[in-house]
């Protein structure tokens, strides 16, 4: 089973399960999870091949969705589910194929489509890191070159300094990259409440995607956070938290 961190205790609200994006971890969501735990229990998972969860050669979305289903069955469902990017795609597959496990769904800055971009740049940068003289996380940051602003700091959170290694299965994430940037054919539908919450400065969710979203999620609603890009929860955490609260409590 996936490693997960629980915040808060059971309350009147449904538990909220949070699934992070590529190269992320439950730890990335700690502040938001803790703040949202005032309304009920929040469970943040480490996805397979990330952080403290198991490694596996299969990094397909049906497999990832199966991991979330296992956690929900363990804690007792249905639950509300929030997924960002890769985690959002995983959450969509889960909701469409196992609607019995999902109460409400929030998809953060991603659509059920394939994208043309790749995330091999960060993987190649991580592979170039020489851990021989790494004594602290800053030693890794100095070696992460050629990446967009903010990316080195983000992926450096997945460094195991003591073990002098990455807590990411780089080989499998590279081999399965086409699946990660793609989206599988899904047979199913989720009729519950869904919010596609995007950054206003991001182009990951476009108006033309709505015709693909509607057959899977006929009750989908859309909202944008001004001044935020793809990393909307990190760039505008308070606004993101507020939008999540309004949707879940409505």
């Amino acid at each position: 089973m996936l490693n997960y961190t629980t915040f808060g205790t059971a309350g009147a609200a449904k538990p909220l399960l949070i699934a992070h994006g590529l190269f992320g971890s439950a730890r990335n969501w700690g502040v938001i999870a803790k703040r949202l735990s005032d309304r009920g229990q929040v469970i943040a998972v480490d996805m397979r091949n990330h952080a403290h969860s198991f490694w596996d050669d299969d990094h397909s979305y049906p497999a990832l969705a199966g991991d979330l289903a296992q956690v929900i069955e363990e804690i007792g469902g249905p639950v509300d589910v929030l997924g960002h990017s890769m985690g959002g795609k995983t959450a969509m597959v889960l909701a469409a194929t196992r609607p019995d496990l999902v109460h409400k769904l929030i998809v953060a800055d991603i659509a059920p489509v394939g994208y043309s971009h790749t995330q091999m740049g960060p993987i190649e940068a991580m592979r170039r890191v020489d851990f021989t003289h790494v004594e602290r996380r800053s030693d890794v940051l100095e070696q992460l070159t050629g990446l967009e602003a903010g990316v080195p700091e983000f992926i450096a959170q997945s460094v195991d300094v003591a073990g002098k290694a990455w807590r990411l299965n780089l080989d499998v994430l590279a081999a399965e990259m086409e699946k990660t940037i793609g989206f599988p054919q899904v047979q199913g539908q989720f009729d519950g409440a869904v919010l596609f919450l995007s950054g206003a400065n991001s182009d990951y969710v476009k108006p033309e995607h709505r015709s693909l979203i509607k057959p899977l999620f006929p009750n989908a609603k859309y909202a944008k956070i001004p001044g935020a890009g793809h990393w909307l929860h990190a760039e505008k955490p308070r606004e993101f938290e507020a939008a999540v609260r309004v949707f879940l409590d409505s």
Side-chain angles (χ1 to χ4, degrees), residues 88-162:
K89 286 187 174 182
T90 303
M92 284 189 277
V93 173
L94 170 70
T97 58
R98 292 294 309 274
D100 56 304
L101 298 179
V102 181
H103 178 240
K104 288 186 174 183
L105 173 65
I106 301 174
V107 181
D109 210 66
I110 204 73
V113 301
Y115 293 87
S116 59
H117 66 269
T118 180
Q119 295 295 335
M120 286 303 298
I123 289 181
E124 290 164 357
M126 284 186 274
R127 282 174 164 167
R128 289 194 296 267
V129 171
D130 179 2
F131 280 96
T132 305
H133 301 293
V134 169
E135 301 296 336
R136 54 189 65 83
R137 189 167 282 111
S138 59
D139 296 333
V140 173
L141 281 172
E142 293 173 0
Q143 299 185 57
L144 291 171
T145 59
L147 299 174
E148 293 181 19
V151 174
E153 290 78 9
F154 169 67
I155 60 178
Q157 294 182 51
S158 290
V159 171
D160 176 3
V161 175

Side-chain angles (χ1 to χ4, degrees), residues 193-238:
V194 182
L195 175 65
F196 281 81
L197 182 59
S198 306
N201 297 338
S202 170
D203 62 355
Y204 275 70
V205 183
K206 300 179 179 179
E208 54 263 36
H209 292 154
R210 296 192 180 191
S211 63
L212 300 172
I213 291 170
K214 190 171 181 60
L216 291 172
F217 309 106
N219 294 310
K221 295 182 179 180
Y222 304 85
K224 290 184 180 294
I225 296 180
H230 183 60
W231 304 99
L232 65 174
H233 59 292
E235 296 168 11
K236 299 288 183 177
R238 291 304 181 97

Side-chain angles (χ1 to χ4, degrees), residues 7-117:
F7 300 82
T9 57
K14 295 281 187 187
L16 172 64
L17 180 74
I18 300 179
H20 64 78
L22 185 64
F23 309 136
S25 68
R27 177 185 174 189
N28 302 148
W29 287 84
V31 173
I32 288 175
K34 186 175 182 178
R35 290 183 60 83
L36 289 171
S37 69
D38 65 351
R39 55 183 300 281
Q41 203 169 58
V42 179
I43 299 94
V45 303
D46 288 330
M47 306 289 273
R48 65 168 60 191
N49 296 311
H50 290 72
H52 299 285
S53 281
F54 62 89
W55 287 14
D56 192 275
D57 288 345
D58 185 358
H59 201 77
S60 66
Y61 284 114
L64 271 63
D67 294 340
L68 296 188
Q70 188 180 31
V71 173
I72 295 171
E73 289 168 342
E74 171 77 10
I75 64 178
V79 303
D80 295 326
V81 180
L82 161 61
H84 172 249
S85 202
M86 178 190 76
K89 286 187 174 182
T90 303
M92 284 189 277
V93 173
L94 170 70
T97 58
R98 292 294 309 274
D100 56 304
L101 298 179
V102 181
H103 178 240
K104 288 186 174 183
L105 173 65
I106 301 174
V107 181
D109 210 66
I110 204 73
V113 301
Y115 293 87
S116 59
H117 66 269

